[in-house]
Amino acid sequence: MIEYRIEPADPRAHQYRVTLRVPRPAAEQVLSLPVWIPGSYLVREFSRHLSSLQARQGGRALRLEQLDKARWLARCRGIAALEVTCLVYAFDTSVRTAFLDGRRGFFNATSLCLRVHGREREPHAVQLRGLPRGWQVATAMRAVGAGRAHRFESDDYDELLDHPFELGPFWRGHFTVRGVPHEFVVSGAWPGFDGQRLLDDTERICETQIAFWHGRGKRARPPFERYVFMLQVIDDGHGGLEHRASTALLASRRSLPRAGMGLADEAYVDLLGLISHEYFHAWHVKRLRPSEFATYDYDRENYTRALWLFEGATSYYDDLLLLRAGLIDPARYLRLLAKSVNNVRTMPGRHVQSVADASFDAWVKFYRIDENTPNATVSYYAKGALVALALDLTLRRDGSSLDAVLRGLWRAGRAGPVSEDDLRRALNAAAGRSYARELASWVHGVQDLPLQGLLEAAGVQWQEDKASFAASLGLRLSEGPVTGVQVKNVLAGGPAAQAGLSAGDELLAVDGWRIRKLDDALQWIRSGRSFDLTLVRDQRLQNVTLRADSRSPFAHTVRLGLQTEPARAAAELRRAWLGR
C-alpha cells in the first residue's frame, strides 16, 4: 500500500510536511505531482509550492533527480521501502489547493501527494499526525481505525485525489437522506448562524436531486455511501469544487442563514444554488462525464468540447431544483433566470466563439479573465445553462424533457463517459426526431438562442427594460483611485467602444461637470444626444464624445415574469416545467 503521512510542520509559515512511503519501489521510480485538479480546467503548477524534497531507502539518503517541472526520479537499490519527504507551502483559501494556519487546515491531495508511477491502481492511505488539540477532521475518504489515529484509505490514486480534507475546530451537522448519511461542516462562521436551517434546506436539495435521478421510490439511493459538504466562509468569496462523495465550498459569511431570517435573502439563495450545483455534479461530471475524461491525465491539459453540457446543464438545474425543492418560488426563479439571460446578452463574445469552443478553450481563456474577455469568448457555464434551457423547453414541446434525457443517459451508462454522439442519440430517442439542427446552431454556432419565443410558449412573459446609463454605453465600471469611476470593460459594438474608450480609463467629468457616478449625468443627457466625457488615461487628460443611443445593443435588459392568462398549451407546458 502506498502511504502518506501529513502533518502541520509550521502553521505560522503555512507549511505541511508530507512523507511518502513506497514499499518495493521500482529500480528507477518516477514520482510526480499533478499540474491540475479535475473540475477546475487550468494548469496550476502545484509543484511550485514543494520544497526540501529528500529521499531515503533502507536508512540511507538517496538522490532525487528532477526530470521536469513536476517529475522526479529515484534510482533505488533493492526492495527496501522508499521514503520521500517534502514541505508544501499552503496559503490559498480557494477550494482547489491547500491552506494551513493556526486556526484551519484544508487540502486536496493534488497539492500534497506525489503520484508513484506504475502503482496508481494500488490502495493508498493517508495518515494525519500532529494536529493541534481540538481540531477535527472531515473527509469522505474511508476512515480506518478509531480515536486520534486519523488514518484513511482509498482504492487507488484517482480516488485519493477525489477526497479533500477539512481540518480545524469547525461547526458540524448531520442529516440522512434515503438511508445515506450526509455531513455538513462550516469553517469560519460568525457565532449564531442558523445551522439547523442550513441542514434542513440542504436536506431538501439532496432529496429533490436524488428523486430527479432515481425517482421517489424508497429503494432509490444515490451512488455513494455517504456525502460531505465542506464550507469555508470568509469575508468575501464564492466557489465550489465537486468530488465523488463530497464538495468543497467557499462563500461569504453574509450568505449564511440567520436565526429568524424568514424568507431566504439573495445571498443565502446564492449559497443554496452553489450547494445544489456541486451536489448535482456527483452524478453529472463525476460519474456521467465527458468521454475525454474517461481516464484523467494529470500531467497536462485534458481537452473536451462538452463542458457546456456538464457545467452548463448543471448551472441550469442548480436553481431550477431549488424551485422544485420549494426553497424559492417561480417569481424568484425567473428573476435568477433573467440574470443569466442578461449576463449572456452582454457578452459580445457570444457571436465570436461557440459554447463548444469555449469548452475546449477553458484551459487558456475561462480562468484567465482580462479586460477583453467579454468580447472574445463566452462562458460555457452561462451560455451552456441557456442552451440546456432551450433544449429542455424544446423537448417539452416535443413531449419529453431534458430531465428524461439525462436520466436516460444515467440508466444507459450508470457511471460512464458520454460523448456528443451519445447525447445526440438520447435527444433523438426522447423526442422522436433529430436534434442535429439545434446542436449545430446552439452548441457549435454563434447565433443567439431563440429564448424569447421558447419562454413565451411556456407561459413566461419577456419584457425589456432600460439598462443603466453605463451599461447602455457598453461599459462595465469599477472603483477608480480618484473619482471612484474607472472602466473595467468596454463591450464591442457599444457607443463607448465606438468612441475609443479603453479599460483603465478613469472618468472625471461629463460636459464639464465632475461626476462621482456616471448615472448623475442622466440629469441633463437625453437619448440621441452627444455629450463630452473627460477622462484620465496614463496620467493624461483626454476628452471624447459619445452619443446616448437607445439603439445600442446594450440599451435594454430582460425581465421575466409569469403570464397572467397563458394559452392552454403554454399553461400546461409551464406547469410541467415549473410546477403548480
Side-chain angles (χ1 to χ4, degrees):
M1 179 177 288
I2 307 300
E3 298 181 290
Y4 303 88
R5 186 171 69 246
I6 298 173
E7 49 197 326
D10 188 347
R12 291 174 298 182
H14 317 294
Q15 287 187 329
Y16 289 101
R17 179 179 292 108
V18 182
T19 302
L20 164 66
R21 185 178 185 277
V22 184
R24 306 178 309 281
E28 294 190 344
Q29 183 63 66
V30 176
L31 309 170
S32 69
L33 197 68
V35 303
W36 70 289
I37 182 169
S40 183
Y41 307 105
L42 178 69
V43 171
R44 297 187 182 276
E45 314 292 19
F46 299 127
S47 63
R48 73 187 191 277
H49 293 308
L50 269 61
S51 64
S52 304
L53 275 78
Q54 297 180 351
R56 300 184 69 83
Q57 187 188 23
R60 296 183 178 182
L62 195 67
R63 178 174 174 267
L64 278 177
E65 177 184 349
Q66 187 162 3
L67 302 177
D68 58 28
K69 63 183 180 181
R71 289 190 307 147
W72 291 263
L73 173 65
R75 301 184 190 278
C76 300
R77 300 177 181 177
I79 61 171
L82 169 67
E83 285 198 354
V84 178
T85 63
C86 65
L87 295 177
V88 181
Y89 179 71
F91 198 52
D92 184 345
T93 58
S94 80
V95 297
R96 298 177 295 262
T97 53
F99 180 86
L100 180 66
D101 68 6
R103 294 175 296 181
R104 174 181 178 260
F106 172 83
F107 65 85
N108 290 284
T110 42
S111 292
L112 271 65
C113 297
L114 291 163
R115 173 162 65 106
V116 182
H117 287 232
R119 309 282 291 275
E120 295 90 343
R121 298 304 168 205
E122 296 181 20
H124 288 58
V126 169
Q127 187 168 25
L128 303 176
R129 293 265 190 95
L131 297 183
R133 184 181 298 276
W135 276 30
Q136 306 174 79
V137 179
T139 182
M141 192 181 294
R142 184 173 65 253
V144 179
R148 291 179 52 83
H150 296 315
R151 181 180 173 89
F152 306 87
E153 294 182 358
S154 65
D155 291 339
D156 52 34
Y157 188 72
D158 280 341
E159 186 188 352
L160 169 74
L161 299 190
D162 219 6
H163 291 304
F165 282 73
E166 179 72 36
L167 314 172
F170 44 71
W171 178 90
R172 196 171 212 151
H174 301 85
F175 59 89
T176 299
V177 182
R178 304 288 182 94
V180 175
H182 289 62
E183 183 175 53
F184 208 124
V185 304
V186 182
S187 174
W190 279 329
F193 85 96
D194 193 344
Q196 190 58 52
R197 177 163 184 177
L198 180 64
L199 291 178
D200 292 343
D201 291 348
T202 302
E203 181 178 354
R204 291 170 72 175
I205 292 170
C206 297
E207 174 64 44
T208 301
Q209 295 201 12
I210 294 170
F212 175 93
W213 289 102
H214 305 285
R216 297 192 177 276
K218 293 183 178 180
R219 302 178 68 179
R221 290 173 60 91
F224 40 78
E225 295 302 317
R226 59 188 293 264
Y227 193 92
V228 182
F229 295 92
M230 289 171 273
L231 172 61
Q232 180 201 1
V233 288
I234 58 177
D235 182 52
D236 188 27
H238 182 83
L241 190 62
E242 68 275 3
H243 298 278
R244 66 181 64 187
S246 63
T247 180
L249 306 168
L250 178 70
S252 163
R253 289 187 180 92
R254 295 168 183 82
S255 67
L256 288 173
R258 303 172 298 280
M261 185 171 69
L263 291 176
D265 63 17
E266 184 176 343
Y268 183 44
V269 169
D270 195 39
L271 173 58
L272 293 176
L274 177 64
I275 291 168
S276 178
H277 184 99
E278 302 304 338
Y279 194 68
F280 197 82
H281 273 324
W283 291 265
H284 195 58
V285 157
K286 296 312 299 184
R287 288 166 175 86
L288 287 179
R289 60 193 184 276
S291 56
E292 297 85 354
F293 293 171
T295 302
Y296 290 124
D297 184 342
Y298 299 112
D299 297 329
R300 58 185 58 84
E301 297 90 339
N302 291 217
Y303 294 100
T304 177
R305 284 188 160 83
L307 294 180
W308 71 267
L309 171 62
F310 290 93
E311 289 293 354
T314 302
S315 296
Y316 168 58
Y317 277 107
D318 52 20
D319 289 335
L320 182 59
L321 291 172
L322 294 186
L323 172 64
R324 294 182 185 176
L327 296 172
I328 58 175
D329 62 15
R332 174 167 271 186
Y333 171 69
L334 291 178
R335 290 198 297 271
L336 293 170
L337 184 57
K339 184 177 179 181
S340 298
V341 171
N342 288 315
N343 181 15
V344 174
R345 275 166 53 106
T346 55
M347 288 183 185
R350 74 189 189 280
H351 294 311
V352 175
Q353 185 184 51
S354 72
V355 74
D357 288 343
S359 302
F360 194 85
D361 283 341
W363 298 93
V364 294
K365 292 187 177 181
F366 183 79
Y367 292 95
R368 292 184 169 127
I369 295 173
D370 61 27
E371 68 283 350
N372 194 49
T373 291
N375 299 322
T377 186
V378 68
S379 166
Y380 54 81
Y381 281 88
K383 187 178 177 183
L386 298 185
V387 171
L389 166 67
L391 287 171
D392 194 16
L393 294 181
T394 305
L395 284 160
R396 290 179 184 279
R397 186 185 61 196
D398 289 339
S400 186
S401 68
L402 188 58
D403 303 15
V405 169
L406 293 185
R407 283 194 291 265
L409 288 170
W410 176 262
R411 287 192 295 267
R414 284 293 174 181
V418 175
S419 68
E420 188 169 311
D421 285 341
D422 295 325
L423 173 64
R424 184 179 292 107
R425 284 190 290 269
L427 289 168
N428 296 350
R433 69 170 180 87
S434 172
Y435 265 62
R437 179 178 59 83
E438 285 86 353
L439 292 176
S441 174
W442 301 349
V443 175
H444 297 281
V446 293
Q447 304 91 340
D448 279 333
L449 302 170
L451 294 178
Q452 182 174 354
L454 289 170
L455 286 165
E456 289 177 343
V460 173
Q461 183 180 35
W462 177 290
Q463 183 172 331
E464 294 198 348
D465 298 330
K466 288 181 64 175
S468 71
F469 184 39
S472 71
L473 297 173
L475 287 175
R476 294 180 181 176
L477 303 176
S478 59
E479 186 174 348
V482 178
T483 67
V485 185
Q486 190 165 34
V487 176
K488 180 179 180 181
N489 303 104
V490 180
L491 303 182
Q498 294 168 8
L501 268 73
S502 295
D505 289 348
E506 187 168 11
L507 310 185
L508 299 181
V510 175
D511 290 339
W513 291 87
R514 184 176 177 181
I515 57 167
R516 294 192 183 278
K517 293 189 298 182
L518 191 57
D519 280 1
D520 289 345
L522 288 175
Q523 298 294 323
W524 66 88
I525 290 176
R526 296 294 177 262
S527 178
R529 221 206 96 185
S530 296
F531 61 93
D532 292 329
L533 182 63
T534 304
L535 57 88
V536 176
R537 181 183 298 170
D538 191 25
Q539 296 186 318
R540 298 181 181 181
L541 286 175
Q542 186 170 330
N543 289 314
V544 297
T545 300
L546 287 84
R547 180 180 295 274
D549 191 349
S550 61
R551 296 169 299 177
S552 162
F554 312 110
H556 296 92
T557 61
V558 171
R559 178 158 49 94
L560 301 177
L562 297 173
Q563 294 177 3
T564 54
E565 295 184 4
R568 181 176 179 180
E572 290 176 353
L573 197 160
R574 188 174 76 187
R575 189 179 303 114
W577 174 43
L578 299 182
R580 296 182 180 275

